[in-house]
Amino acid sequence: MWVARLVAAARSGTQLDLAGEGSANPAEADDWDSGRTIPAAAVRAALLTKGLDPDPRGLRIRGANIIGSLDLEHATLPCTLTITDSRFNEPVLMEGLACRQLVLTGSHTPGLDLDGATITVGMFLTGGFTATGEVRALGANIGGQLNLRGATLTNPDGYALNLDQATITGHVFLDEESTATGEVRALGANIGGQL
């Protein structure tokens, strides 16, 4: 059922808004209706559907409780991936991912691995994005901007953000609401715009 719904949403470009008029705060996901729970494997299956032919707006999901590990390692996505105001209960694995744009605004995750990923337009971890484990993008190639405005990155015993050897052709944005508990590092990174 979920794969078909997600494929239809990607093809139409319509946001699959599971929050509706309800809570869109991922910190309250344990209290959400079970109808908002999407298996991570269904998201993967939908994005890798042969002949997907997505709308230019891509797959857009809001207010979902995504269970299981979203494993998109070494996947080439045919569209933008936007998952907002959602909770991932396991780290998101995107090592070697290739996609146009990645947007995780307002979402919560135990960690995010983007080592060696290629994102051609930009990456947005904004508006209350929260990670309680390492966010890493070692050797990643991000075209356009990396936007971390309003992000909360927490990994007190390790790296909160690791951009070693990453190439970001545009700007890297943080603001007064961006916080990191743990080390932030970008050894050998190449930032084409402003930090």
Side-chain angles (χ1 to χ4, degrees):
M1 176 189 79
W2 275 115
V3 174
R5 286 185 70 183
L6 293 166
V7 166
R11 287 176 173 162
S12 68
T14 303
Q15 178 176 254
L16 182 60
D17 186 355
L18 301 178
E21 298 298 319
S23 168
N25 181 355
E28 300 171 359
D30 286 337
D31 298 324
W32 290 353
D33 182 273
S34 62
R36 295 172 64 174
T37 300
I38 303 177
V43 178
R44 174 185 167 86
L47 287 167
L48 299 181
T49 295
K50 190 172 182 178
L52 179 60
D53 191 24
D55 183 90
R57 291 170 287 190
L59 178 59
R60 300 185 296 157
I61 302 168
R62 177 178 179 262
N65 186 21
I66 299 175
I67 58 169
S69 180
L70 179 55
D71 184 350
L72 293 171
E73 289 187 344
H74 305 289
T76 299
L77 304 186
C79 61
T80 292
L81 177 59
T82 302
I83 302 177
T84 58
D85 302 321
S86 297
R87 182 183 72 176
F88 298 88
N89 75 337
E90 293 187 26
V92 178
L93 306 176
M94 295 183 170
E95 180 179 346
L97 172 77
C99 76
R100 183 174 183 276
Q101 181 171 270
L102 178 64
V103 180
L104 298 177
T105 295
S107 292
H108 291 191
T109 178
L112 176 61
D113 182 353
L114 284 154
D115 290 359
T118 299
I119 301 170
T120 55
V121 172
M123 186 164 76
F124 299 83
L125 309 178
T126 57
F129 172 83
T130 299
T132 53
E134 185 176 0
V135 173
R136 51 185 288 154
L138 279 66
N141 192 331
I142 300 170
Q145 63 180 283
L146 170 58
N147 195 327
L148 293 157
R149 288 184 173 126
T152 300
L153 311 179
T154 305
N155 192 23
D157 298 321
Y159 304 123
L161 177 64
N162 191 338
L163 298 173
D164 288 2
Q165 304 299 321
T167 298
I168 300 156
T169 61
H171 305 306
V172 177
F173 293 110
L174 301 106
D175 63 13
E176 64 278 356
E177 295 179 13
S178 305
T179 64
T181 303
E183 186 173 348
V184 175
R185 55 184 279 160
L187 301 177
N190 187 340
I191 299 172
Q194 298 181 22
L195 171 60

